[in-house]
Amino acid sequence: RAKQEGRNTYRLFRAEMHVKDHHDLALETALRNTAETGDGLAVHYQPLVDRDSGEVHGAEALLRWTSSEFGPVSPGDFIPLAERSGLILPLGRRLMHLVAGQLRDWRESGLSPPRVAINLSARQFWQSDLVAEVRQLYEDYDLPPGQIGFELTESTLLDKHQQATDTLAALRELGCYIAIDDFGTGYSSLSYLHQLPVTTLKIDRSFVRDLGVSRSSGAILAAVTGLARELGLRVVAEGVETEAQLEALRDYHVTLIQGFLTGRPAPAEDFEARYLRSALVRT
Ligand code: C2E
Ligand code: MG
Ligand code: MG
Ligand code: MG
């Protein structure tokens, strides 16, 4: 009966939504079409750079959607919609294949693409067949171990500790590196996360933005990076936009940088020209 009531509440909520937000519904319909056909989807790649050597250590795959009806839609709008509606599952699957196909193309043209990280939302992570799907992906596209990794947020990993551990361990066996995304914005402790087989912490860009402005940002950064190092986790700073921020990060010994300063998310062709071709010339 409780279940029944829950369902009614949900229906009521939906009914309100219909009245309140036609635009949202139309957007959801468009996104559903896109999830079915793949039309209008693209992947942008943003480099993760070692500040000292300038070397590209990895890239993050970021989904882009241009709707035939609405034009380009920001991920800040369509990702939450995709998560609410469940469309993130088919969309995420398409993204994985786009990325794997791109990586295979690059390798077949003699290039050496770095590891690419794919964002997984909670619904994707808790899919029972995630590991099988990823394993199949590695096989179908003939990817070397670790070529594709994942980013998850703290909240995704908070409950079902044993299950989370098992899934992450299975992904680690495929060589995948696992990053905690937007670290510091959730409520989890580093000591809890460390019990999980994760490899990397990505410090949320709010801490980077406030560097030198708010004293607490620096204190948090110092604590987190110190502990992470001791625990053997890699630390990445995201959202680095200015030289001043880059300079300030030096105090915290953060050397892996992802941000507009070191490289904006770009289409595969641009990423290739800038980071894969030029690297070929350099070596
Ligand atoms: P995220 O995973 O934290 O991704 C980083 C976001 O920060 C990206 O926004 C990127 O463009 C932006 N960014 C990078 N450097 C800078 C910088 O220096 N300054 C500023 N202001 N922003 C920077 P984007 O592409 O809009 O993505 C937003 C969020 O959407 C992502 O946050 C991620 O949570 C989600 N997302 C994107 N693609 C996917 C996907 O394929 N699957 C899932 N599940 N989520 C995705
Ligand atoms: Mg991310
Ligand atoms: Mg992030
Ligand atoms: Mg973020």
Side-chain angles (χ1 to χ4, degrees):
R1 243 200 92 221
K3 202 171 170 189
Q4 185 68 37
E5 268 167 25
R7 206 169 285 150
N8 286 340
T9 315
Y10 177 69
R11 277 209 196 106
L12 236 163
F13 173 69
R14 293 286 304 179
E16 271 174 23
M17 290 292 287
H18 282 227
V19 181
K20 268 192 198 147
D21 211 340
H22 282 279
H23 175 79
D24 235 43
L25 250 180
L27 203 64
E28 185 176 324
T29 305
L31 190 59
R32 177 160 288 117
N33 281 328
T34 297
E36 272 161 25
T37 61
D39 294 342
L41 288 183
V43 184
H44 282 192
Y45 296 85
Q46 184 178 31
L48 194 165
V49 178
D50 183 313
R51 62 175 300 158
D52 297 326
S53 65
E55 214 177 308
V56 174
H57 269 239
E60 179 172 5
L62 295 158
L63 194 56
R64 295 292 178 261
W65 177 38
T66 305
S67 155
S68 53
E69 196 178 335
F70 297 96
V73 184
S74 146
D77 291 327
F78 79 80
I79 295 287
L81 175 61
E83 285 169 352
R84 280 199 304 275
S85 59
L87 289 171
I88 195 69
L89 294 179
L91 287 169
R93 202 166 290 129
R94 283 192 181 278
L95 174 98
M96 276 201 216
H97 284 273
L98 287 171
V99 170
Q102 183 63 67
L103 287 166
R104 181 173 61 188
D105 288 354
W106 276 333
R107 298 177 59 80
E108 281 177 359
S109 19
L111 299 166
S112 308
R115 292 161 173 256
V116 171
I118 288 177
N119 292 285
L120 288 182
S121 61
R123 272 176 115 126
Q124 297 173 279
F125 179 72
W126 292 111
Q127 251 180 299
S128 58
D129 50 356
L130 174 73
V131 172
E133 218 175 278
V134 173
R135 194 177 289 126
Q136 194 65 48
L137 199 73
Y138 269 88
E139 224 173 279
D140 290 349
Y141 291 87
D142 208 14
L143 300 175
Q147 180 76 81
I148 287 179
F150 298 98
E151 298 190 357
L152 302 127
T153 58
E154 294 163 68
S155 58
T156 297
L157 298 172
L158 264 190
D159 40 77
K160 296 188 268 190
H161 181 81
Q162 190 53 50
Q163 242 176 294
T165 304
D166 294 347
T167 301
L168 292 175
L171 292 173
R172 291 286 297 127
E173 262 170 47
L174 296 169
C176 302
Y177 81 101
I178 310 286
I180 306 295
D181 207 354
D182 306 336
F183 183 76
T185 58
Y187 297 97
S188 54
S189 70
L190 197 45
S191 61
Y192 170 77
L193 289 175
H194 180 60
Q195 295 168 22
L196 298 165
V198 303
T199 59
T200 308
L201 288 184
K202 294 186 81 172
I203 307 281
D204 189 64
R205 71 164 170 270
S206 57
F207 299 107
V208 174
R209 188 187 50 220
D210 296 346
L211 265 185
V213 181
S214 109
R215 198 169 292 176
S216 59
S217 262
I220 291 169
L221 216 57
V224 166
T225 54
L227 192 52
R229 250 193 315 279
E230 246 159 74
L231 297 174
L233 294 169
R234 298 216 291 175
V235 176
V236 177
E238 63 177 15
V240 180
E241 295 180 350
T242 67
E243 290 288 349
Q245 289 166 343
L246 188 67
E247 203 40 49
L249 282 166
R250 206 182 276 283
D251 294 345
Y252 308 97
H253 310 286
V254 178
T255 54
L256 293 173
I257 306 293
Q258 188 184 333
F260 291 170
L261 183 69
T262 44
R264 287 184 176 258
E269 310 81 66
D270 295 358
F271 185 85
E272 174 183 325
R274 257 178 254 167
Y275 305 106
L276 303 183
R277 298 272 169 200
S278 58
L280 254 193
V281 172
R282 241 187 282 139
T283 48

